[in-house]
């Protein structure tokens, strides 16, 4: 074969392989979604949303787990979002070029990818041991710690998208920086910051590892934040590994619920971002 | 009138002070979190670390009854499953990134890119049950017997593929991890590839290079640092991943030559045993595993972030 031919064939083979790689990636997503649908849909019923997690061998639902997941996610975001938004504000507006900011930014990036089970151990050490028992609030704090880095990152990025001219105009009118930030920058970056919160919700609502030894689980209905509380991920974990068919079915239905909730949240977040001026227009 | 204005000005001034302090405090909380994690973990692990000393790292024994604990098996499992995952996910992730940036028609770029990113959003516990109930049986019935028969007889590497086909084990965990980190590696590599100036690529084409030659001789050298950063970021994920691995690793505290045998990882050991651990030394040993995981992942992630620092931060906003 001539050298030219070798190069052309090599090119074709390499490009074909890259297409195959993409197909493999898409097939994995497809296979997982298909498994969830085919195994989870048959368990979808009204009872899923109206009954408690059952003892082995009987019918039941996931009401307490769904409730617990929602409560802990909401409380976690309520704790994490203010910290994340304020820290992101500091990075974008006050200390944008300072040495402290670059350290905080770096540490935040590390936290963003840190293993979530470490966060669980940390909260166990500082909260669960002190309180003497597992509790929903400990679970919520663990989720908050996971939500903070996501919020910091998006808040900073979105505030940086606000045109400097708008902020300068406010400053020229005699406004202090805090006034400019709260009255000009926040409203201008609102949809971006909301997107960050949605992404944070999507990220924490599927987290299992940090809840295993903070919120633990609870077979019964509980509204007490100071007591262990059921939650979807841990219920899925326990039920899927159990030998009981009823429990396994509930695990699949719960997995279906949680995955689609998260995928819908992620898609909505992406749609908001792509509608932003100067957002991810390149994609 | 003047009094009112002065009051207003004072309110604005104090507002500035409070707000500035609040944002600074929040930024410091982020720093304190990392420090707090390190301190509290070392504190919790101290009984085990001072009892077993360095032997904790080198001993394979894990016996709650006799209170003997060593971290060798979890460390080996963590490194081995992550290595397997990277061996699979790096080339595939590279392929996906090449496809998305150089090959894909414009209208397909967004849907395919989004699908790959959605794979990253799927919670890890879902990968776990999928791995256990779907992937493991397939491996056990079809793939592992073939591996045992054909690869198990090879000299040298044959030892990796001997023993009964359990379905679950180190190999399965590595596979599930590979699927999990694939979207992260692909997304970072794509973002890095997109930073290559068009002029460079066009110069390559103008010299008559094929698409592949431009990719391999222009794009890859230009984005080498970022690619390594992306790979390390994926590695950090793989090392610390808990739920996906816990389902399919088999939780056996031993170091087996065979990849088909059950094993354990640091995170899987903690997830499986922590709530059931009785006795201070047992709990403390598990937290000591956490310290090891923290050290390993922190090093890898910090290195990755350092390599990615020079990139435009916004180019990487979704990882």
């Amino acid at each position: 074969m001539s050298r030219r031919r070798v190069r052309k064939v090599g090119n074709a083979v390499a490009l074909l392989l890259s297409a195959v790689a993409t197909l493999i990636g898409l097939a994995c997503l497809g296979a997982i979604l298909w498994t969830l649908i085919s195994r989870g849909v048959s368990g979808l019923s009204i009872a899923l949303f109206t009954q408690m997690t059952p003892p082995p061998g009987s019918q039941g639902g996931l009401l307490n787990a769904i409730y617990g997941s929602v409560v802990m996610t909401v409380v976690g975001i309520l704790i994490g979002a203010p910290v994340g938004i304020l820290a992101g504000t500091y990075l974008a507006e006050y200390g944008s070029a300072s040495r402290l900011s670059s350290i905080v930014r770096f540490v935040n990036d590390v936290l963003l990818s840190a293993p979530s089970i470490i966060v669980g151990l940390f909260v166990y050490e500082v909260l669960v041991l002190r309180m003497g028992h597992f509790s929903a609030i400990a679970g919520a704090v663990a989720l908050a710690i996971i939500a903070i880095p996501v919020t910091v990152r998006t808040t900073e990025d979105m505030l940086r998208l606000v045109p400097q001219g708008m902020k300068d105009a406010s400053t020229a009118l005699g406004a202090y920086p805090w006034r400019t930030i709260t009255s000009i920058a926040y409203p201008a970056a609102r949809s971006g910051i909301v997107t960050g919160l949605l992404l944070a919700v999507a990220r924490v609502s599927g987290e299992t590892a940090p809840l295993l030894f903070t919120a633990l689980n609870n077979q019964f209905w509980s509204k007490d934040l100071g007591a262990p509380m059921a939650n979807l991920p841990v219920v899925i974990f326990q039920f899927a590994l159990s030998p009981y068919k009823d429990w396994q079915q509930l695990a699949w239905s719960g997995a279906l619920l949680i995955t689609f909730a998260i995928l819908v949240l992620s898609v909505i977040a992406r749609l908001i971002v792509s509608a932003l001026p100067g957002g991810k227009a390149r994609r | 009138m003047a009094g009112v204005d002065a009051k207003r000005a004072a309110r604005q001034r104090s507002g500035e002070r409070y707000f500035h302090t609040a944002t600074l405090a929040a930024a410091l909380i982020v720093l304190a979190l990392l420090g707090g994690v390190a301190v509290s973990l070392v504190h919790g692990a101290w009984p085990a670390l001072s009892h077993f000393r360095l032997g904790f790292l080198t001993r394979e024994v894990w016996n709650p009854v006799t209170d003997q604990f060593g971290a060798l098996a979890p460390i080996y499992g963590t490194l081995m499953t992550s290595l397997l995952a990277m061996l699979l996910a790096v080339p595939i992730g590279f392929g996906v990134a090449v496809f998305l940036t150089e090959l894909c028609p414009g209208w397909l770029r967004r849907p395919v890119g989004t699908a790959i990113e959605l794979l990253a959003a799927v919670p890890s516990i879902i990968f776990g049950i999928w791995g256990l109930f779907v992937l493991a049986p397939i491996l056990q019935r079809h793939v592992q017997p073939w591996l045992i028969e054909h690869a198990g007889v090879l000299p040298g590497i044959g030892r990796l593929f001997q023993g009964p086909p359990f379905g679950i084990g180190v190999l399965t965990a590595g596979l599930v991890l590979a699927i999990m980190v694939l979207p992260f590696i692909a997304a970072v590599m794509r973002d890095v590839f997109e930073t290559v100036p068009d002029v460079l690529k066009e110069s390559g084409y103008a010299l008559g290079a094929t698409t592949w030659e431009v990719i391999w001789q222009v794009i890859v050298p230009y984005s080498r640092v970022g690619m390594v950063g992306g790979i390390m970021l994926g590695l950090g994920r793989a090392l610390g991943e808990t739920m996906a691995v816990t389902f399919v690793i088999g939780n056996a505290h031993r170091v087996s030559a065979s990849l088909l045998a059950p094993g354990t990882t640091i995170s899987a050991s903690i997830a499986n045993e922590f709530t059931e651990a009785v006795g201070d030394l047992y709990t403390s040993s598990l937290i000591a595993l956490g310290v090891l995981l923290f050290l390993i992942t922190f090093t890898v992630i910090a290195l990755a972030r350092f390599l990615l620092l020079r990139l435009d931060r916004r180019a990487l906003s979704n990882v």
Side-chain angles (χ1 to χ4, degrees), chain B residues 50-118:
Chain B
S50 59
H51 187 268
F52 297 117
R53 297 177 188 273
L54 278 179
F56 187 70
L57 294 177
T58 54
R59 295 184 336 153
E60 194 183 333
V61 60
W62 189 267
N63 191 337
V65 181
T66 57
D67 254 353
Q68 292 298 316
F69 301 101
L72 190 62
I75 293 176
Y76 168 80
T78 300
L79 297 181
M80 201 62 193
T81 50
S82 299
L83 176 70
L84 279 176
M86 299 320 281
L87 283 178
L88 291 166
V90 168
I92 299 181
F94 176 73
V96 173
V98 164
F99 181 82
L100 283 176
T101 47
E102 303 303 322
L103 205 59
C104 189
W107 56 270
L108 203 59
R109 191 165 295 180
R110 221 185 119 119
V112 172
T114 309
I116 297 288
E117 283 165 21
L118 285 185

Side-chain angles (χ1 to χ4, degrees), chain A residues 7 11 14 18 22 35 94 109 112-113 118 122 125 153 156 176 178 233 240 259 270 280 282-283, chain B residues 12-13 16 40 99 110 117 125-126 130 133 190-191 194 208 212-213 287 290 301 305 313 317-318:
Chain A
R7 286 174 56 210
N11 184 47
S18 85
T22 311
T35 308
Y94 281 112
D109 282 352
L112 197 61
S113 329
I118 299 274
F122 169 62
E125 279 285 309
R153 184 73 174 265
E156 189 195 354
Y176 279 100
W178 77 280
T259 307
R270 257 159 243 286
K280 299 225 178 96
R282 67 202 171 83
R283 273 180 213 155
Chain B
Q12 291 290 321
R13 254 201 312 278
E16 176 61 27
S40 76
F99 181 82
R110 221 185 119 119
E117 283 165 21
I125 188 167
I126 305 298
W130 182 77
F133 289 99
R190 175 197 58 188
D191 292 347
E194 281 178 354
W212 174 248
E213 285 163 349
I287 298 178
I301 296 168
R305 291 295 179 187
R313 275 169 53 79
S317 57
N318 47 49

Side-chain angles (χ1 to χ4, degrees), chain A:
Chain A
M1 268 199 296
S2 70
R3 181 161 162 66
R4 185 180 138 80
R5 240 183 112 72
V6 172
R7 286 174 56 210
K8 280 197 128 174
V9 171
N11 184 47
V13 169
L15 296 185
L16 187 70
L17 284 179
S18 85
V20 169
T22 311
L23 281 181
I24 291 176
L26 294 179
C28 289
L29 181 66
I32 287 170
L33 293 184
W34 171 247
T35 308
L36 284 176
I37 292 171
S38 64
R39 299 212 183 186
V41 163
S42 59
L44 289 182
S45 63
I46 300 294
L48 209 58
F49 304 96
T50 56
Q51 292 180 19
M52 305 297 151
T53 47
S58 57
Q59 301 285 317
L62 292 167
L63 176 62
N64 50 343
I66 295 171
Y67 171 81
S69 269
V70 171
V71 166
M72 276 187 271
T73 303
V74 168
V75 175
I77 295 292
L78 283 181
I79 300 172
V83 177
I85 291 177
L86 285 173
T89 307
Y90 180 82
L91 294 182
E93 304 290 340
Y94 281 112
S96 60
S98 74
R99 200 172 165 71
L100 174 67
S101 288
S102 48
I103 297 174
V104 171
R105 214 170 273 138
F106 188 76
V107 165
N108 191 64
D109 282 352
V110 170
L111 284 175
L112 197 61
S113 329
S116 54
I117 194 158
I118 299 274
V119 174
L121 282 179
F122 169 62
V123 174
Y124 176 86
E125 279 285 309
V126 297
L127 271 184
V128 178
L129 275 186
R130 299 266 153 81
M131 294 168 72
H133 55 85
F134 299 102
S135 66
I137 190 71
V141 169
L143 294 184
I145 294 176
I146 291 166
I148 286 174
V150 186
T151 323
V152 172
R153 184 73 174 265
T154 42
T155 305
E156 189 195 354
D157 289 347
M158 291 308 156
L159 285 177
R160 282 184 186 284
L161 287 181
V162 177
Q164 188 60 38
M166 272 168 76
K167 297 179 201 166
D168 290 346
S170 163
T171 311
L173 288 174
Y176 279 100
W178 77 280
R179 198 66 220 230
T180 303
I181 294 166
T182 52
S183 305
I184 305 294
Y186 279 166
R190 191 173 51 212
S191 55
I193 296 175
V194 169
T195 309
L197 292 182
L198 283 183
L199 286 177
V201 171
R203 172 82 199 270
V204 302
S205 52
E207 282 289 352
T208 317
L211 295 178
L212 280 175
F213 22 84
T214 52
L216 200 65
N217 196 355
N218 191 337
Q219 218 193 315
F220 305 103
W221 178 255
S222 166
K223 285 208 268 191
D224 184 3
L225 281 179
M229 194 182 266
N231 55 87
L232 272 178
V234 176
V235 166
I236 294 172
F237 179 50
Q238 290 187 345
F239 282 18
L241 288 176
S242 76
Y244 313 110
K245 281 273 165 274
D246 298 329
W247 276 17
Q248 288 185 2
Q249 180 57 56
L250 280 175
W252 283 110
S253 303
L256 178 69
L257 282 182
I258 209 164
T259 307
F260 276 86
I262 289 171
L263 290 188
V264 167
L265 273 177
S266 312
V267 170
I268 292 176
R270 257 159 243 286
L271 289 180
I272 298 179
V273 169
S274 62
L276 288 178
K280 299 225 178 96
R282 67 202 171 83
R283 273 180 213 155

Side-chain angles (χ1 to χ4, degrees), chain B residues 80-290:
Chain B
M80 201 62 193
T81 50
S82 299
L83 176 70
L84 279 176
M86 299 320 281
L87 283 178
L88 291 166
V90 168
I92 299 181
F94 176 73
V96 173
V98 164
F99 181 82
L100 283 176
T101 47
E102 303 303 322
L103 205 59
C104 189
W107 56 270
L108 203 59
R109 191 165 295 180
R110 221 185 119 119
V112 172
T114 309
I116 297 288
E117 283 165 21
L118 285 185
L119 187 60
V122 173
S124 60
I125 188 167
I126 305 298
F127 286 93
I129 52 175
W130 182 77
L132 179 62
F133 289 99
V134 179
L135 190 62
I138 295 177
L139 290 177
Q140 184 175 24
R141 249 174 267 141
H142 305 295
V143 180
Q144 293 185 345
W146 186 90
L147 280 175
I148 294 166
E149 198 177 320
H150 293 93
V153 293
L154 298 174
I157 62 160
R159 295 179 54 198
L160 294 174
F161 303 103
Q162 283 167 359
F166 286 103
I168 55 175
V170 175
L171 179 70
T172 315
L175 265 177
V176 173
L177 275 182
I179 300 174
M180 278 207 67
V181 297
L182 166 66
F184 291 99
I185 294 179
V188 177
M189 283 197 185
R190 175 197 58 188
D191 292 347
V192 174
F193 288 171
E194 281 178 354
T195 62
V196 179
D198 285 337
V199 181
L200 284 186
K201 296 191 240 174
E202 283 156 12
S203 326
Y205 287 122
L207 290 173
T210 61
T211 310
W212 174 248
E213 285 163 349
V214 168
I215 292 166
W216 197 245
Q217 291 170 22
V218 178
I219 298 180
V220 168
Y222 185 88
S223 39
R224 196 181 292 135
V225 175
M227 282 172 66
V228 174
I231 292 171
M232 305 273 289
L233 209 56
L235 179 62
R237 291 255 165 198
L239 289 166
E241 176 44 46
T242 308
M243 300 319 295
V245 176
T246 305
F247 274 91
V248 293
I249 189 82
N251 203 36
H253 278 273
R254 59 168 183 264
V255 179
S256 311
S258 173
L259 295 180
L260 308 183
T264 190
T265 68
I266 294 177
S267 49
S269 300
I270 302 173
N272 266 318
E273 300 173 37
F274 197 78
T275 43
E276 290 156 20
V278 282
D280 293 339
L281 205 56
Y282 194 0
T283 308
S284 176
S285 298
L286 286 169
I287 298 178
L289 285 183

